[in-house]
Amino acid sequence: MTTTTTRVLALLEILQGGGIHPVPDLAARLAVDERTVRRYVGHLLDLDVPVDAVRGRYGGYRLAPGYRMPPLMLTDEEALAVVLGLLAAQSAGLVTTSAAASESAAAKLRRVLPKPLARRLAALLETADVTARPRPGTAPETAVLLGLAEATQQQRPVTLTYTDRKGRRTDRTVLPYGLVAHAGRWYLAAADPATGDRDGDGAVRTFRLDRISALSVRSGSFVVPAAFDPVTRVLTGLARTPWAHEVSVRVRADVPHVRRHLPADLATVSPIAAAVGTDDADPAERDGEPGGTPEADRDGWVRVRMRAERLDWIPPVLAALDRPFVIEHPAELRDLVRALARRLDACADR
């Protein structure tokens, strides 16, 4: 699509926003001179788009009152962005239970686009592939995702029918703070007033949208804490999921190095030095106790905490860190690390 056509469509997009737009403002936004703006307006008039010229000190151009745009007028780049967005959402597993919606949307898009562009987009969809595959599992209901989005934006409480990972089904009223898409799933970070806390909003919890079977918006409103970060809260909540084993390991490395091997949804990582000298420091950090880190060596160490249903995948990750580490608990993890070391040693001698 030529630059002229692109800018004519950009002019139409600006005018569609409503109001009267002075020619100097349009020229600045389109990066052209005022004479070119008038020529672009002529192109729109040739396409039977009713553009009114308003005279006077505050005059300019506007679309005629009551004019409605055709269903779609997209540039090549805009159409490509929409199609790639549909493809990416489908491959990442972020579509809702209406799985065919993305395919039907792409089909409708191709039907209303100019034939040459529709043909090229169809070729892209038929030939392109992605390495990421949708995560197995149940997708959330469309009504649940959109209902939570609206309630979050308007800061309205919602009542959820939720089934937890143990299969227990409950109804609970929460304050939706934010929605997060992560690893092929949608999550809600929300305060649960039923838990109670000193601020009155309750503890912030993480909910999987595919486990929400019903949703209703309640009356009232709330205020999200100013410093609240939904992404950080969801990742931290995932790392603290109460699986069978609670693991704590000290590693002589910096946080970024550990994070390259253990992302935030798997583990929490914190410098040990921050806890030195405090009453609530981990007992293993105190001098003179078994497994403690000497005072002079505490700098440069971090504590890694995670929860896991199985321990067998952790020793290879610790080995991949390629840094000194001390296992605080559980004791079974030490046996698994020793077993891995013996297997590696045997392979090295072959």
Side-chain angles (χ1 to χ4, degrees), residues 33-326:
D33 56 37
E34 296 183 13
R35 181 177 179 182
T36 302
V37 171
R38 295 185 177 92
R39 189 169 70 251
Y40 289 168
V41 170
H43 291 327
L44 292 177
L45 292 171
D46 291 340
L47 294 171
D48 295 326
V49 177
V51 181
D52 290 341
V54 181
R55 298 182 179 276
R57 180 179 177 182
Y58 301 103
Y61 290 111
R62 69 178 180 187
L63 285 181
Y67 174 73
R68 293 187 176 183
M69 287 286 296
L72 277 178
M73 292 189 68
L74 300 176
T75 65
D76 288 19
E77 292 80 8
E78 290 169 340
L80 179 61
V82 173
V83 170
L84 289 180
L86 293 171
L87 182 64
Q90 190 173 23
S91 65
L94 297 180
V95 294
T96 60
T97 48
S98 302
S102 58
E103 296 179 4
S104 62
K108 290 178 181 178
L109 179 65
R110 293 197 300 271
R111 283 199 297 270
V112 299
L113 288 173
K115 289 185 178 179
L117 177 56
R119 184 173 61 250
R120 296 171 70 186
L121 291 177
L124 174 65
L125 291 174
E126 291 173 9
T127 58
D129 204 349
V130 293
T131 56
R133 294 301 175 203
R135 185 172 183 169
T138 304
E141 295 284 347
T142 301
V144 169
L145 177 58
L146 296 182
L148 282 174
E150 188 173 34
T152 301
Q153 180 191 51
Q154 298 176 359
Q155 298 182 349
R156 299 275 302 278
V158 295
T159 297
L160 313 174
T161 300
Y162 190 77
T163 303
D164 65 17
R165 64 188 184 89
K166 295 183 178 180
R168 296 174 300 197
R169 184 170 177 172
T170 58
D171 291 330
R172 61 189 79 187
T173 299
V174 300
L175 312 180
Y177 282 0
L179 290 166
V180 177
H182 172 68
R185 286 197 177 113
W186 283 99
Y187 295 90
L188 170 69
D192 188 351
T195 60
D197 69 356
R198 62 186 178 185
D199 296 326
D201 283 349
V204 179
R205 305 182 60 182
T206 299
F207 300 92
R208 273 175 47 178
L209 266 64
D210 59 307
R211 292 177 175 168
I212 299 174
S213 57
L215 166 74
S216 61
V217 180
R218 319 301 295 183
S219 60
S221 64
F222 61 90
V223 177
V224 179
F228 183 77
D229 180 3
V231 172
T232 299
R233 181 59 189 83
V234 166
L235 294 179
T236 301
L238 293 176
R240 293 175 177 171
T241 301
W243 299 113
H245 301 280
E246 185 173 346
V247 178
S248 181
V249 180
R250 296 198 309 276
V251 182
R252 179 174 276 175
D254 55 28
V255 174
H257 178 81
V258 176
R259 275 283 174 248
R260 285 193 287 271
H261 301 270
L262 289 166
D265 59 338
L266 288 181
T268 61
V269 183
S270 57
I272 290 179
V276 173
T278 62
D279 294 335
D280 59 349
D282 192 291
E285 292 184 30
R286 299 170 189 158
D287 294 333
E289 296 192 12
T293 305
E295 183 73 33
D297 293 339
R298 279 175 175 156
D299 290 341
W301 288 77
V302 297
R303 173 165 283 107
V304 179
R305 288 190 173 97
M306 58 187 127
R307 298 174 184 266
E309 193 66 20
R310 301 189 343 264
L311 297 174
D312 55 353
W313 62 271
I314 299 179
V317 176
L318 295 177
L321 289 174
D322 195 24
R323 295 291 190 275
F325 63 86
V326 177

